[in-house]
Amino acid sequence: MYARRRRVYFLLMGGCLFLFVSAWSFVRLWSVEAAVALCVVAMVIPPVAAMIANRRGPDDRWWDDPSGDPTSDEWWDELDGKPRRHGDAEP
Protein backbone atom coordinates (compact mmCIF):
# COMPACT_ATOMS: atom_id res chain seq x y z
CA MET A 1 0.00 0.00 0.00
CA TYR A 2 2.76 2.43 0.91
CA ALA A 3 4.76 1.36 -2.14
CA ARG A 4 1.80 2.12 -4.41
CA ARG A 5 1.36 5.59 -2.92
CA ARG A 6 5.10 6.24 -3.15
CA ARG A 7 5.13 5.14 -6.79
CA VAL A 8 2.20 7.42 -7.66
CA TYR A 9 3.87 10.30 -5.81
CA PHE A 10 7.12 9.91 -7.74
CA LEU A 11 5.26 9.56 -11.04
CA LEU A 12 3.37 12.80 -10.36
CA MET A 13 6.51 14.63 -9.29
CA GLY A 14 8.40 13.27 -12.30
CA GLY A 15 5.60 14.52 -14.53
CA CYS A 16 5.81 17.89 -12.81
CA LEU A 17 9.54 18.14 -13.50
CA PHE A 18 9.05 16.97 -17.07
CA LEU A 19 6.41 19.65 -17.69
CA PHE A 20 8.53 22.40 -16.16
CA VAL A 21 11.74 21.47 -17.94
CA SER A 22 10.06 20.87 -21.29
CA ALA A 23 8.12 24.14 -21.01
CA TRP A 24 11.27 26.23 -20.83
CA SER A 25 13.52 23.98 -22.93
CA PHE A 26 11.60 23.69 -26.17
CA VAL A 27 7.90 24.61 -25.81
CA ARG A 28 8.83 28.28 -25.33
CA LEU A 29 10.37 28.23 -28.79
CA TRP A 30 6.90 27.72 -30.30
CA SER A 31 4.71 29.53 -27.79
CA VAL A 32 5.50 31.36 -24.58
CA GLU A 33 1.81 31.21 -23.61
CA ALA A 34 1.85 27.40 -23.88
CA ALA A 35 5.04 27.28 -21.79
CA VAL A 36 3.40 29.41 -19.09
CA ALA A 37 0.32 27.16 -19.20
CA LEU A 38 2.54 24.09 -18.72
CA CYS A 39 4.17 25.77 -15.73
CA VAL A 40 0.77 26.53 -14.21
CA VAL A 41 -0.21 22.88 -14.58
CA ALA A 42 3.15 21.85 -13.09
CA MET A 43 2.53 24.23 -10.18
CA VAL A 44 -0.70 22.41 -9.26
CA ILE A 45 0.82 18.92 -9.27
CA PRO A 46 3.01 19.01 -6.07
CA PRO A 47 0.15 19.72 -3.62
CA VAL A 48 -1.94 17.00 -5.29
CA ALA A 49 1.01 14.59 -5.08
CA ALA A 50 1.45 15.36 -1.37
CA MET A 51 -2.25 14.73 -0.71
CA ILE A 52 -2.08 11.41 -2.53
CA ALA A 53 1.12 10.37 -0.72
CA ASN A 54 -0.35 11.17 2.72
CA ARG A 55 -3.82 9.75 2.10
CA ARG A 56 -4.91 6.87 4.30
CA GLY A 57 -6.57 3.89 2.70
CA PRO A 58 -9.85 2.36 3.90
CA ASP A 59 -7.96 -0.47 5.61
CA ASP A 60 -5.47 1.82 7.39
CA ARG A 61 -5.97 2.61 11.03
CA TRP A 62 -5.94 6.22 12.11
CA TRP A 63 -2.94 5.55 14.28
CA ASP A 64 0.26 3.64 13.80
CA ASP A 65 0.40 1.40 16.86
CA PRO A 66 -2.20 -0.19 19.10
CA SER A 67 -2.79 1.71 22.31
CA GLY A 68 -1.64 -1.13 24.57
CA ASP A 69 -5.01 -1.35 26.31
CA PRO A 70 -6.41 -4.76 25.30
CA THR A 71 -10.03 -3.74 25.89
CA SER A 72 -9.69 -0.59 23.80
CA ASP A 73 -7.78 -2.37 21.03
CA GLU A 74 -10.41 -5.14 20.93
CA TRP A 75 -13.18 -2.53 20.70
CA TRP A 76 -11.47 -0.69 17.83
CA ASP A 77 -10.77 -4.00 16.05
CA GLU A 78 -14.47 -4.80 16.31
CA LEU A 79 -15.39 -1.39 14.88
CA ASP A 80 -12.85 -1.85 12.06
CA GLY A 81 -14.43 -5.23 11.26
CA LYS A 82 -11.24 -7.12 11.96
CA PRO A 83 -11.51 -10.74 13.11
CA ARG A 84 -10.96 -11.57 16.74
CA ARG A 85 -7.44 -12.47 17.73
CA HIS A 86 -6.73 -16.06 18.72
CA GLY A 87 -6.82 -16.59 22.45
CA ASP A 88 -9.43 -13.91 23.09
CA ALA A 89 -12.18 -15.22 25.31
CA GLU A 90 -15.79 -14.29 24.76
CA PRO A 91 -16.91 -12.06 27.68
Side-chain angles (χ1 to χ4, degrees), residues 43-84:
M43 179 181 67
V44 174
I45 293 175
V48 172
M51 286 186 274
I52 288 174
N54 291 315
R55 180 181 59 186
R56 295 270 186 195
D59 295 334
D60 290 344
R61 296 183 89 153
W62 291 2
W63 53 90
D64 295 325
D65 295 323
S67 68
D69 179 17
T71 306
S72 175
D73 292 338
E74 180 181 329
W75 184 77
W76 282 109
D77 286 343
E78 181 181 337
L79 285 178
D80 290 342
K82 294 185 178 181
R84 294 180 67 106

Side-chain angles (χ1 to χ4, degrees), residues 4-75:
R4 180 186 53 84
R5 288 193 304 226
R6 190 177 323 130
R7 188 174 25 245
V8 171
Y9 174 79
F10 284 120
L11 282 173
L12 285 170
M13 292 306 290
C16 175
L17 285 173
F18 174 76
L19 286 173
F20 185 75
V21 170
S22 66
W24 297 112
S25 294
F26 57 87
V27 174
R28 69 176 171 84
L29 300 174
W30 290 289
S31 172
V32 173
E33 292 83 8
V36 171
L38 285 177
C39 284
V40 169
V41 171
M43 179 181 67
V44 174
I45 293 175
V48 172
M51 286 186 274
I52 288 174
N54 291 315
R55 180 181 59 186
R56 295 270 186 195
D59 295 334
D60 290 344
R61 296 183 89 153
W62 291 2
W63 53 90
D64 295 325
D65 295 323
S67 68
D69 179 17
T71 306
S72 175
D73 292 338
E74 180 181 329
W75 184 77

